[in-house]
Amino acid sequence: MIQKMKKLSLLLYHKEKESFLDRLAELGVVHIEVDKDAESEQLTTIDQHLRKAGNVHRSLGLLARNEKVSLPQKSDKPAEQVIATFERLEQEKDATEAHILTMRKNISTLEPWGDFDPADVHRLEEVGVRTRFFIIAEKQFEKMPRDHLTMQVINRTEGTVFFVVMERGETVDVQAEPIVLPKISLTEANKKLKQLESERESIHKQLQELTAYTGVLAKDLAVANGSKDMENARLSMDSQVDGKIMAMTGWVPTNRVKAVGDFLKSFAAWHEFSEAEFDDPVPVALKNGKASRLMEPIIGLYSLPDYFEIDPTPFVTPFFVFFFGLCLGDLGYGAVLLLVSLIGMKVAPPKMRPFMALGAIMGLCTALAGLLLNTVFGFPVFATSAAENAMLSSGNAISLLSPVETARGTYFPAMPFSIYIGILQLILGMIIRIGNSFENGEWRDAVNPFYSIVIVLGVVIQMAKWDFVDMGKLELGAVAIGPWLTGIPASVVLALVFGGTAILAVDNLFIKNIKQVALRPVLIIWDAYNFASGLMSTGLSYLRLFALGLAGGLLGAAFNQIAFMIVTTPEGDVNYATPLIVFTVLILIFGHALNLVLSALGAFVHPLRLTFVEFFGGFSLGFKGGGKPYRPLAKVTGSSD
């Protein structure tokens, strides 16, 4: 849910401005409306420091993760010194890399000519003998006139001839490509390269040692962000009455209003708390239970909800984890995911433990789906789909969603179940939308989701009657969903569909602009078409839950078949005593590890898509989003406790 806020309007005597802001930061409750256009030299300086410190912190963190560097954290150097050292080392590293590239190019150029001292060439020039270096293709060299040349072939390699020409007096014409060699010997170049590589290694080691100061940088960033918030608050206080009075607007959680009111009594200030209005930029603070709170970072990937809409997080959480389980759908994979997550909750850094807890929940859902689908690592959990389940009064199989062989072929209960569970989520979104409209006093906005629910119910019943994707067959133990829907009279279906369509038409008649009177019939037909096509595409999107679960199960079964083909005799018996069983085990481990990774990725991405596109979309919830996070002005000391 979204924490309710009160708007704080404040007038303060100007001489108390600094002490007020300082103590307000200590209180750490009030979110101040910031003037985004405000500027100051100090704010510019802080922003520059944040960019520098943030870049260094990210670079060192990336270095530590990529190279698995784990050093004990130190605090004997201030952040400014760490930043300056990092920048110096980076400059030295870039310069060294450039020198290494140059030296390698020199070595590549010198190698065909052999190892000689450039000083010898210089001494020959002092006595009037010039030495020039040339290269030419071997075929062209054979045709080149060279009787007039004093020359020596140095090397022949890869179809190229390397030669030198000695001259005294006039320069002779040589029909080859001249080469200017570096003023260094091959031995010196190799020695210099080793020295440069050693320097690069030393610089890299010093950069690794700086990863011990990422904690210092993190605290510095926190303090700098606190300073930025303080400066923004200072700049956002408007001057009134010739600078004698300072005006400020902020936001306070309703449960902290009394504490803030008592705090303000100690200042020469006037204040007022008021309700938020629809055009106010109200900050958003989410307040959910433990399970729903695990989903907040994932919802944050999309957007925070707007202050004036219902927080969808508690409603997304059960569907998301259950959808994940259906997509992965294997008892064995669920057990592996659960085990890894439980271990991660013990050994992972504190910031990662909520994600590990979410992984454990998704592992449980995957294991549950594996029981329903009757699969463990691609094998059936039960010998037959008729395994008795004492928990169900009807005595039907616990594998309620496992494929069933019928006279007409294989029936997959998971397919209509995916459609039904998807429609249930869509209708839930519409109900939330109706409740949100009434809560905000906008009852007309509730008409659209209301007629949508009515029409969707009618369409779903009719689809069950048509047995579309086996929707009329679905039975979950004692709950005969499909047969119950098919038993509803046709008159009810007609009433729902035509009644909902009539509400849609009336709604269009009232809300369209008066200038479009002649176009209203066309617009009604167009809206009806958009609704019908939207219902079809949105509803069928949930078939992904069945498709992904089926694909993962088939791939797992395929790896099993390939693995056991190696140890299966021509008579069809499995020989576990053969040495080839080692390859069977390796194929099973590799195949199921690959399938688990690929299926888990799809099982995460596609429920996320169903949430962000179908559930959040205009057809269902109509999620507005765009909320800005609640960030109260707070003092950060950067202490190392």
Side-chain angles (χ1 to χ4, degrees), residues 197-241:
E197 288 176 341
S198 177
E199 291 176 4
R200 180 180 62 183
E201 184 63 27
S202 174
I203 293 170
H204 187 70
K205 186 176 180 181
Q206 293 179 65
L207 285 171
Q208 288 180 327
E209 291 172 353
L210 281 183
T211 60
Y213 295 94
T214 53
V216 170
L217 292 172
K219 292 170 186 173
D220 179 73
L221 284 168
V223 172
N225 275 308
S227 299
K228 181 179 179 179
D229 290 341
M230 181 67 77
E231 181 64 13
N232 275 323
R234 189 177 289 112
L235 295 172
S236 299
M237 296 189 75
D238 295 330
S239 176
Q240 308 282 343
V241 194

mmCIF file of all heavy atoms in Angstrom, residues 197-241:
data_model
loop_
_atom_site.group_PDB
_atom_site.id
_atom_site.type_symbol
_atom_site.label_atom_id
_atom_site.label_comp_id
_atom_site.label_asym_id
_atom_site.label_seq_id
_atom_site.Cartn_x
_atom_site.Cartn_y
_atom_site.Cartn_z
ATOM 1 N N GLU A 197 55.218 -3.891 -19.383
ATOM 2 C CA GLU A 197 54.220 -4.857 -18.911
ATOM 3 C C GLU A 197 54.298 -5.038 -17.404
ATOM 4 O O GLU A 197 53.278 -5.222 -16.737
ATOM 5 C CB GLU A 197 54.421 -6.192 -19.629
ATOM 6 C CG GLU A 197 54.002 -6.155 -21.099
ATOM 7 C CD GLU A 197 54.300 -7.452 -21.815
ATOM 8 O OE1 GLU A 197 55.142 -8.230 -21.288
ATOM 9 O OE2 GLU A 197 53.721 -7.695 -22.882
ATOM 10 N N SER A 198 55.513 -4.975 -16.866
ATOM 11 C CA SER A 198 55.680 -5.051 -15.416
ATOM 12 C C SER A 198 55.062 -3.829 -14.739
ATOM 13 O O SER A 198 54.408 -3.940 -13.695
ATOM 14 C CB SER A 198 57.160 -5.172 -15.069
ATOM 15 O OG SER A 198 57.350 -5.175 -13.675
ATOM 16 N N GLU A 199 55.257 -2.644 -15.364
ATOM 17 C CA GLU A 199 54.662 -1.418 -14.819
ATOM 18 C C GLU A 199 53.135 -1.497 -14.868
ATOM 19 O O GLU A 199 52.455 -1.082 -13.928
ATOM 20 C CB GLU A 199 55.153 -0.205 -15.611
ATOM 21 C CG GLU A 199 56.629 0.116 -15.399
ATOM 22 C CD GLU A 199 57.088 1.271 -16.270
ATOM 23 O OE1 GLU A 199 56.233 1.861 -16.966
ATOM 24 O OE2 GLU A 199 58.301 1.582 -16.260
ATOM 25 N N ARG A 200 52.615 -2.050 -15.974
ATOM 26 C CA ARG A 200 51.158 -2.185 -16.083
ATOM 27 C C ARG A 200 50.620 -3.117 -15.011
ATOM 28 O O ARG A 200 49.577 -2.852 -14.410
ATOM 29 C CB ARG A 200 50.791 -2.710 -17.470
ATOM 30 C CG ARG A 200 49.297 -2.889 -17.683
ATOM 31 C CD ARG A 200 48.983 -3.409 -19.065
ATOM 32 N NE ARG A 200 49.561 -4.729 -19.297
ATOM 33 C CZ ARG A 200 49.478 -5.380 -20.452
ATOM 34 N NH1 ARG A 200 48.845 -4.822 -21.474
ATOM 35 N NH2 ARG A 200 50.018 -6.569 -20.590
ATOM 36 N N GLU A 201 51.317 -4.206 -14.767
ATOM 37 C CA GLU A 201 50.905 -5.143 -13.730
ATOM 38 C C GLU A 201 50.938 -4.493 -12.358
ATOM 39 O O GLU A 201 50.050 -4.712 -11.527
ATOM 40 C CB GLU A 201 51.813 -6.371 -13.756
ATOM 41 C CG GLU A 201 51.424 -7.459 -12.776
ATOM 42 C CD GLU A 201 50.067 -8.066 -13.053
ATOM 43 O OE1 GLU A 201 49.636 -8.060 -14.228
ATOM 44 O OE2 GLU A 201 49.418 -8.543 -12.095
ATOM 45 N N SER A 202 51.954 -3.659 -12.126
ATOM 46 C CA SER A 202 52.061 -2.963 -10.848
ATOM 47 C C SER A 202 50.902 -1.979 -10.665
ATOM 48 O O SER A 202 50.313 -1.887 -9.579
ATOM 49 C CB SER A 202 53.397 -2.223 -10.765
ATOM 50 O OG SER A 202 53.462 -1.438 -9.594
ATOM 51 N N ILE A 203 50.558 -1.263 -11.749
ATOM 52 C CA ILE A 203 49.442 -0.312 -11.692
ATOM 53 C C ILE A 203 48.138 -1.057 -11.428
ATOM 54 O O ILE A 203 47.309 -0.633 -10.614
ATOM 55 C CB ILE A 203 49.360 0.496 -13.004
ATOM 56 C CG1 ILE A 203 50.586 1.412 -13.142
ATOM 57 C CG2 ILE A 203 48.072 1.306 -13.054
ATOM 58 C CD1 ILE A 203 50.702 2.058 -14.502
ATOM 59 N N HIS A 204 47.970 -2.184 -12.113
ATOM 60 C CA HIS A 204 46.743 -2.968 -11.934
ATOM 61 C C HIS A 204 46.636 -3.482 -10.500
ATOM 62 O O HIS A 204 45.548 -3.490 -9.917
ATOM 63 C CB HIS A 204 46.730 -4.130 -12.918
ATOM 64 C CG HIS A 204 45.446 -4.890 -12.929
ATOM 65 N ND1 HIS A 204 44.272 -4.378 -13.425
ATOM 66 C CD2 HIS A 204 45.135 -6.132 -12.473
ATOM 67 C CE1 HIS A 204 43.296 -5.260 -13.285
ATOM 68 N NE2 HIS A 204 43.795 -6.337 -12.705
ATOM 69 N N LYS A 205 47.749 -3.899 -9.936
ATOM 70 C CA LYS A 205 47.748 -4.375 -8.557
ATOM 71 C C LYS A 205 47.355 -3.254 -7.598
ATOM 72 O O LYS A 205 46.604 -3.474 -6.636
ATOM 73 C CB LYS A 205 49.122 -4.927 -8.192
ATOM 74 C CG LYS A 205 49.174 -5.578 -6.819
ATOM 75 C CD LYS A 205 50.534 -6.193 -6.547
ATOM 76 C CE LYS A 205 50.573 -6.838 -5.166
ATOM 77 N NZ LYS A 205 51.899 -7.428 -4.860
ATOM 78 N N GLN A 206 47.851 -2.042 -7.869
ATOM 79 C CA GLN A 206 47.485 -0.899 -7.024
ATOM 80 C C GLN A 206 45.996 -0.586 -7.145
ATOM 81 O O GLN A 206 45.355 -0.213 -6.160
ATOM 82 C CB GLN A 206 48.313 0.323 -7.416
ATOM 83 C CG GLN A 206 49.797 0.187 -7.108
ATOM 84 C CD GLN A 206 50.581 1.418 -7.543
ATOM 85 O OE1 GLN A 206 50.389 2.516 -7.016
ATOM 86 N NE2 GLN A 206 51.457 1.232 -8.521
ATOM 87 N N LEU A 207 45.435 -0.750 -8.354
ATOM 88 C CA LEU A 207 44.001 -0.536 -8.531
ATOM 89 C C LEU A 207 43.210 -1.588 -7.756
ATOM 90 O O LEU A 207 42.180 -1.279 -7.151
ATOM 91 C CB LEU A 207 43.640 -0.597 -10.015
ATOM 92 C CG LEU A 207 44.030 0.623 -10.859
ATOM 93 C CD1 LEU A 207 43.822 0.342 -12.339
ATOM 94 C CD2 LEU A 207 43.231 1.849 -10.441
ATOM 95 N N GLN A 208 43.686 -2.823 -7.776
ATOM 96 C CA GLN A 208 43.020 -3.867 -6.998
ATOM 97 C C GLN A 208 43.049 -3.544 -5.509
ATOM 98 O O GLN A 208 42.069 -3.781 -4.795
ATOM 99 C CB GLN A 208 43.689 -5.218 -7.261
ATOM 100 C CG GLN A 208 43.409 -5.802 -8.635
ATOM 101 C CD GLN A 208 44.099 -7.141 -8.827
ATOM 102 O OE1 GLN A 208 45.179 -7.375 -8.298
ATOM 103 N NE2 GLN A 208 43.477 -8.022 -9.604
ATOM 104 N N GLU A 209 44.183 -3.007 -5.056
ATOM 105 C CA GLU A 209 44.299 -2.656 -3.631
ATOM 106 C C GLU A 209 43.325 -1.549 -3.253
ATOM 107 O O GLU A 209 42.874 -1.466 -2.104
ATOM 108 C CB GLU A 209 45.735 -2.241 -3.322
ATOM 109 C CG GLU A 209 46.734 -3.402 -3.395
ATOM 110 C CD GLU A 209 48.176 -2.941 -3.266
ATOM 111 O OE1 GLU A 209 48.396 -1.696 -3.252
ATOM 112 O OE2 GLU A 209 49.070 -3.795 -3.192
ATOM 113 N N LEU A 210 42.971 -0.698 -4.232
ATOM 114 C CA LEU A 210 42.022 0.385 -3.950
ATOM 115 C C LEU A 210 40.609 -0.144 -3.715
ATOM 116 O O LEU A 210 39.764 0.574 -3.174
ATOM 117 C CB LEU A 210 41.999 1.389 -5.106
ATOM 118 C CG LEU A 210 43.139 2.410 -5.170
ATOM 119 C CD1 LEU A 210 42.913 3.363 -6.325
ATOM 120 C CD2 LEU A 210 43.262 3.191 -3.864
ATOM 121 N N THR A 211 40.322 -1.384 -4.133
ATOM 122 C CA THR A 211 38.982 -1.928 -3.879
ATOM 123 C C THR A 211 38.715 -2.079 -2.386
ATOM 124 O O THR A 211 37.561 -2.267 -1.990
ATOM 125 C CB THR A 211 38.808 -3.292 -4.571
ATOM 126 O OG1 THR A 211 39.782 -4.217 -4.068
ATOM 127 C CG2 THR A 211 38.979 -3.166 -6.082
ATOM 128 N N ALA A 212 39.764 -1.994 -1.571
ATOM 129 C CA ALA A 212 39.585 -2.049 -0.119
ATOM 130 C C ALA A 212 38.945 -0.772 0.415
ATOM 131 O O ALA A 212 38.613 -0.700 1.609
ATOM 132 C CB ALA A 212 40.924 -2.288 0.575
ATOM 133 N N TYR A 213 38.765 0.234 -0.465
ATOM 134 C CA TYR A 213 38.218 1.522 -0.018
ATOM 135 C C TYR A 213 36.846 1.803 -0.631
ATOM 136 O O TYR A 213 36.391 2.952 -0.617
ATOM 137 C CB TYR A 213 39.187 2.657 -0.383
ATOM 138 C CG TYR A 213 40.504 2.556 0.347
ATOM 139 C CD1 TYR A 213 41.592 1.913 -0.228
ATOM 140 C CD2 TYR A 213 40.655 3.093 1.621
ATOM 141 C CE1 TYR A 213 42.806 1.805 0.438
ATOM 142 C CE2 TYR A 213 41.872 2.997 2.298
ATOM 143 C CZ TYR A 213 42.933 2.352 1.698
ATOM 144 O OH TYR A 213 44.135 2.250 2.367
ATOM 145 N N THR A 214 36.188 0.758 -1.171
ATOM 146 C CA THR A 214 34.846 0.992 -1.721
ATOM 147 C C THR A 214 33.867 1.404 -0.624
ATOM 148 O O THR A 214 32.927 2.162 -0.876
ATOM 149 C CB THR A 214 34.327 -0.279 -2.428
ATOM 150 O OG1 THR A 214 34.434 -1.396 -1.527
ATOM 151 C CG2 THR A 214 35.128 -0.572 -3.684
ATOM 152 N N GLY A 215 34.070 0.894 0.587
ATOM 153 C CA GLY A 215 33.219 1.305 1.710
ATOM 154 C C GLY A 215 33.383 2.775 2.023
ATOM 155 O O GLY A 215 32.404 3.484 2.297
ATOM 156 N N VAL A 216 34.633 3.267 1.984
ATOM 157 C CA VAL A 216 34.898 4.691 2.205
ATOM 158 C C VAL A 216 34.178 5.522 1.149
ATOM 159 O O VAL A 216 33.560 6.552 1.455
ATOM 160 C CB VAL A 216 36.420 4.964 2.169
ATOM 161 C CG1 VAL A 216 36.703 6.461 2.144
ATOM 162 C CG2 VAL A 216 37.104 4.309 3.359
ATOM 163 N N LEU A 217 34.243 5.073 -0.108
ATOM 164 C CA LEU A 217 33.590 5.807 -1.193
ATOM 165 C C LEU A 217 32.067 5.773 -1.048
ATOM 166 O O LEU A 217 31.401 6.771 -1.327
ATOM 167 C CB LEU A 217 34.001 5.217 -2.539
ATOM 168 C CG LEU A 217 35.465 5.421 -2.939
ATOM 169 C CD1 LEU A 217 35.801 4.621 -4.182
ATOM 170 C CD2 LEU A 217 35.746 6.903 -3.186
ATOM 171 N N ALA A 218 31.532 4.623 -0.618
ATOM 172 C CA ALA A 218 30.077 4.525 -0.436
ATOM 173 C C ALA A 218 29.596 5.510 0.629
ATOM 174 O O ALA A 218 28.572 6.189 0.458
ATOM 175 C CB ALA A 218 29.694 3.093 -0.061
ATOM 176 N N LYS A 219 30.339 5.598 1.728
ATOM 177 C CA LYS A 219 29.971 6.541 2.788
ATOM 178 C C LYS A 219 30.123 7.983 2.309
ATOM 179 O O LYS A 219 29.302 8.854 2.616
ATOM 180 C CB LYS A 219 30.838 6.299 4.017
ATOM 181 C CG LYS A 219 30.547 4.970 4.713
ATOM 182 C CD LYS A 219 31.584 4.651 5.761
ATOM 183 C CE LYS A 219 31.364 3.261 6.352
ATOM 184 N NZ LYS A 219 32.442 2.852 7.267
ATOM 185 N N ASP A 220 31.169 8.229 1.516
ATOM 186 C CA ASP A 220 31.369 9.573 0.984
ATOM 187 C C ASP A 220 30.220 9.957 0.052
ATOM 188 O O ASP A 220 29.749 11.103 0.076
ATOM 189 C CB ASP A 220 32.702 9.628 0.239
ATOM 190 C CG ASP A 220 32.953 10.997 -0.364
ATOM 191 O OD1 ASP A 220 33.251 11.943 0.398
ATOM 192 O OD2 ASP A 220 32.836 11.126 -1.599
ATOM 193 N N LEU A 221 29.781 9.013 -0.763
ATOM 194 C CA LEU A 221 28.654 9.290 -1.654
ATOM 195 C C LEU A 221 27.386 9.588 -0.858
ATOM 196 O O LEU A 221 26.611 10.479 -1.225
ATOM 197 C CB LEU A 221 28.420 8.095 -2.580
ATOM 198 C CG LEU A 221 29.396 7.928 -3.742
ATOM 199 C CD1 LEU A 221 29.232 6.558 -4.391
ATOM 200 C CD2 LEU A 221 29.180 9.025 -4.773
ATOM 201 N N ALA A 222 27.174 8.831 0.217
ATOM 202 C CA ALA A 222 25.996 9.066 1.050
ATOM 203 C C ALA A 222 26.040 10.464 1.660
ATOM 204 O O ALA A 222 25.035 11.182 1.681
ATOM 205 C CB ALA A 222 25.915 8.005 2.149
ATOM 206 N N VAL A 223 27.222 10.843 2.163
ATOM 207 C CA VAL A 223 27.369 12.178 2.762
ATOM 208 C C VAL A 223 27.177 13.261 1.704
ATOM 209 O O VAL A 223 26.505 14.271 1.936
ATOM 210 C CB VAL A 223 28.749 12.309 3.441
ATOM 211 C CG1 VAL A 223 28.989 13.748 3.883
ATOM 212 C CG2 VAL A 223 28.848 11.369 4.632
ATOM 213 N N ALA A 224 27.758 13.055 0.514
ATOM 214 C CA ALA A 224 27.638 14.045 -0.562
ATOM 215 C C ALA A 224 26.186 14.186 -1.010
ATOM 216 O O ALA A 224 25.717 15.296 -1.283
ATOM 217 C CB ALA A 224 28.522 13.647 -1.738
ATOM 218 N N ASN A 225 25.471 13.059 -1.094
ATOM 219 C CA ASN A 225 24.050 13.143 -1.456
ATOM 220 C C ASN A 225 23.256 13.875 -0.387
ATOM 221 O O ASN A 225 22.331 14.638 -0.694
ATOM 222 C CB ASN A 225 23.486 11.735 -1.661
ATOM 223 C CG ASN A 225 23.733 11.201 -3.057
ATOM 224 O OD1 ASN A 225 23.408 11.859 -4.045
ATOM 225 N ND2 ASN A 225 24.312 10.017 -3.147
ATOM 226 N N GLY A 226 23.624 13.639 0.887
ATOM 227 C CA GLY A 226 22.981 14.384 1.970
ATOM 228 C C GLY A 226 23.259 15.873 1.859
ATOM 229 O O GLY A 226 22.367 16.711 2.073
ATOM 230 N N SER A 227 24.494 16.228 1.517
ATOM 231 C CA SER A 227 24.853 17.645 1.337
ATOM 232 C C SER A 227 24.085 18.253 0.165
ATOM 233 O O SER A 227 23.665 19.418 0.222
ATOM 234 C CB SER A 227 26.356 17.772 1.094
ATOM 235 O OG SER A 227 27.086 17.278 2.190
ATOM 236 N N LYS A 228 23.912 17.444 -0.887
ATOM 237 C CA LYS A 228 23.155 17.939 -2.037
ATOM 238 C C LYS A 228 21.698 18.183 -1.658
ATOM 239 O O LYS A 228 21.110 19.203 -2.062
ATOM 240 C CB LYS A 228 23.246 16.929 -3.188
ATOM 241 C CG LYS A 228 22.510 17.373 -4.444
ATOM 242 C CD LYS A 228 22.651 16.359 -5.557
ATOM 243 C CE LYS A 228 21.890 16.825 -6.797
ATOM 244 N NZ LYS A 228 22.027 15.873 -7.920
ATOM 245 N N ASP A 229 21.123 17.248 -0.907
ATOM 246 C CA ASP A 229 19.743 17.434 -0.455
ATOM 247 C C ASP A 229 19.613 18.687 0.401
ATOM 248 O O ASP A 229 18.639 19.442 0.281
ATOM 249 C CB ASP A 229 19.285 16.211 0.344
ATOM 250 C CG ASP A 229 19.109 14.977 -0.528
ATOM 251 O OD1 ASP A 229 18.997 15.137 -1.758
ATOM 252 O OD2 ASP A 229 19.096 13.859 0.027
ATOM 253 N N MET A 230 20.605 18.908 1.271
ATOM 254 C CA MET A 230 20.566 20.090 2.131
ATOM 255 C C MET A 230 20.665 21.368 1.311
ATOM 256 O O MET A 230 19.933 22.338 1.545
ATOM 257 C CB MET A 230 21.706 20.011 3.146
ATOM 258 C CG MET A 230 21.755 21.178 4.120
ATOM 259 S SD MET A 230 20.331 21.217 5.240
ATOM 260 C CE MET A 230 20.794 19.929 6.403
ATOM 261 N N GLU A 231 21.548 21.372 0.324
ATOM 262 C CA GLU A 231 21.703 22.565 -0.523
ATOM 263 C C GLU A 231 20.449 22.798 -1.348
ATOM 264 O O GLU A 231 20.016 23.949 -1.528
ATOM 265 C CB GLU A 231 22.931 22.401 -1.426
ATOM 266 C CG GLU A 231 23.219 23.577 -2.341
ATOM 267 C CD GLU A 231 23.571 24.860 -1.595
ATOM 268 O OE1 GLU A 231 23.843 24.791 -0.372
ATOM 269 O OE2 GLU A 231 23.562 25.930 -2.228
ATOM 270 N N ASN A 232 19.844 21.710 -1.871
ATOM 271 C CA ASN A 232 18.594 21.864 -2.625
ATOM 272 C C ASN A 232 17.491 22.423 -1.733
ATOM 273 O O ASN A 232 16.691 23.263 -2.161
ATOM 274 C CB ASN A 232 18.158 20.511 -3.199
ATOM 275 C CG ASN A 232 18.826 20.200 -4.517
ATOM 276 O OD1 ASN A 232 19.049 21.087 -5.333
ATOM 277 N ND2 ASN A 232 19.155 18.933 -4.736
ATOM 278 N N ALA A 233 17.434 21.936 -0.487
ATOM 279 C CA ALA A 233 16.436 22.449 0.455
ATOM 280 C C ALA A 233 16.674 23.930 0.727
ATOM 281 O O ALA A 233 15.727 24.729 0.786
ATOM 282 C CB ALA A 233 16.500 21.647 1.755
ATOM 283 N N ARG A 234 17.931 24.291 0.873
ATOM 284 C CA ARG A 234 18.282 25.691 1.143
ATOM 285 C C ARG A 234 17.859 26.584 -0.030
ATOM 286 O O ARG A 234 17.302 27.667 0.156
ATOM 287 C CB ARG A 234 19.792 25.772 1.390
ATOM 288 C CG ARG A 234 20.272 27.120 1.904
ATOM 289 C CD ARG A 234 21.760 27.085 2.190
ATOM 290 N NE ARG A 234 22.064 26.272 3.371
ATOM 291 C CZ ARG A 234 22.710 25.120 3.343
ATOM 292 N NH1 ARG A 234 23.129 24.611 2.198
ATOM 293 N NH2 ARG A 234 22.942 24.456 4.461
ATOM 294 N N LEU A 235 18.128 26.091 -1.255
ATOM 295 C CA LEU A 235 17.789 26.882 -2.442
ATOM 296 C C LEU A 235 16.293 26.902 -2.710
ATOM 297 O O LEU A 235 15.793 27.803 -3.390
ATOM 298 C CB LEU A 235 18.517 26.308 -3.661
ATOM 299 C CG LEU A 235 20.045 26.386 -3.639
ATOM 300 C CD1 LEU A 235 20.643 25.617 -4.815
ATOM 301 C CD2 LEU A 235 20.511 27.837 -3.673
ATOM 302 N N SER A 236 15.568 25.897 -2.197
ATOM 303 C CA SER A 236 14.130 25.797 -2.466
ATOM 304 C C SER A 236 13.287 26.634 -1.514
ATOM 305 O O SER A 236 12.068 26.726 -1.702
ATOM 306 C CB SER A 236 13.690 24.327 -2.378
ATOM 307 O OG SER A 236 14.364 23.554 -3.340
ATOM 308 N N MET A 237 13.878 27.207 -0.508
ATOM 309 C CA MET A 237 13.127 28.064 0.416
ATOM 310 C C MET A 237 13.013 29.460 -0.185
ATOM 311 O O MET A 237 14.007 30.181 -0.334
ATOM 312 C CB MET A 237 13.821 28.106 1.774
ATOM 313 C CG MET A 237 13.856 26.753 2.466
ATOM 314 S SD MET A 237 14.440 26.803 4.175
ATOM 315 C CE MET A 237 13.018 27.490 5.017
ATOM 316 N N ASP A 238 11.790 29.808 -0.578
ATOM 317 C CA ASP A 238 11.551 31.092 -1.242
ATOM 318 C C ASP A 238 11.619 32.244 -0.246
ATOM 319 O O ASP A 238 11.131 32.146 0.890
ATOM 320 C CB ASP A 238 10.175 31.094 -1.920
ATOM 321 C CG ASP A 238 10.097 30.073 -3.046
ATOM 322 O OD1 ASP A 238 11.147 29.801 -3.656
ATOM 323 O OD2 ASP A 238 8.999 29.538 -3.292
ATOM 324 N N SER A 239 12.196 33.323 -0.715
ATOM 325 C CA SER A 239 12.301 34.530 0.112
ATOM 326 C C SER A 239 11.029 35.363 -0.035
ATOM 327 O O SER A 239 10.559 35.627 -1.143
ATOM 328 C CB SER A 239 13.525 35.344 -0.327
ATOM 329 O OG SER A 239 13.596 36.546 0.387
ATOM 330 N N GLN A 240 10.445 35.747 1.102
ATOM 331 C CA GLN A 240 9.221 36.552 1.121
ATOM 332 C C GLN A 240 9.445 37.779 2.019
ATOM 333 O O GLN A 240 10.326 37.791 2.870
ATOM 334 C CB GLN A 240 8.044 35.723 1.665
ATOM 335 C CG GLN A 240 7.840 34.381 0.979
ATOM 336 C CD GLN A 240 7.154 34.511 -0.358
ATOM 337 O OE1 GLN A 240 6.553 35.548 -0.660
ATOM 338 N NE2 GLN A 240 7.250 33.481 -1.181
ATOM 339 N N VAL A 241 8.611 38.800 1.783
ATOM 340 C CA VAL A 241 8.608 40.009 2.628
ATOM 341 C C VAL A 241 10.025 40.576 2.746
ATOM 342 O O VAL A 241 10.618 40.662 3.829
ATOM 343 C CB VAL A 241 8.018 39.712 4.032
ATOM 344 C CG1 VAL A 241 7.703 41.036 4.763
ATOM 345 C CG2 VAL A 241 6.783 38.846 3.953
#
